[in-house]
Amino acid sequence: MDFEQFQAASYGDLQRLVDSLFLGREVVERLDAIVQAELMDLDADLQEIVELVPPGAYDRQRLCDQINSALAAHGWGGAYGTVE
């Protein structure tokens, strides 16, 4: 029996978050990501993913790796989409 991967209504919201964080910036702080996620009114699951990022400063690739790792750990990559 084949099941299609569930895709949440908020699919792609994390990519929009990352894109907005790095407009004109090379490095962002974890707190920047948390605040931006709240300002964008991301759903609770996505805010949880952002909050799992360890404290520190991140370039785009490193932040994406952290977010994608958290998504994979929850099994949510297909539902919410990974980021790049």
Side-chain angles (χ1 to χ4, degrees):
M1 181 180 253
D2 288 329
F3 290 97
E4 287 188 37
Q5 179 66 39
F6 168 76
Q7 199 171 81
S10 55
Y11 184 92
D13 283 356
L14 285 173
Q15 184 65 57
R16 286 184 280 283
L17 170 70
V18 170
D19 291 344
S20 70
L21 284 169
F22 287 97
L23 282 175
R25 299 167 80 183
E26 296 294 319
V27 175
V28 298
E29 296 286 330
R30 172 186 182 258
L31 184 58
D32 297 327
I34 291 171
V35 170
Q36 186 69 11
E38 291 173 1
L39 289 172
M40 291 176 68
D41 199 28
L42 295 187
D43 73 27
D45 287 345
L46 299 183
Q47 286 189 25
E48 177 182 338
I49 292 296
V50 174
E51 289 170 4
L52 288 173
V53 172
Y58 293 87
D59 65 16
R60 186 181 184 109
Q61 186 59 55
R62 188 165 166 244
L63 181 64
C64 289
D65 290 347
Q66 289 290 327
I67 291 173
N68 288 336
S69 177
L71 284 165
H74 280 75
W76 292 346
Y80 294 115
T82 56
V83 294
E84 53 186 48

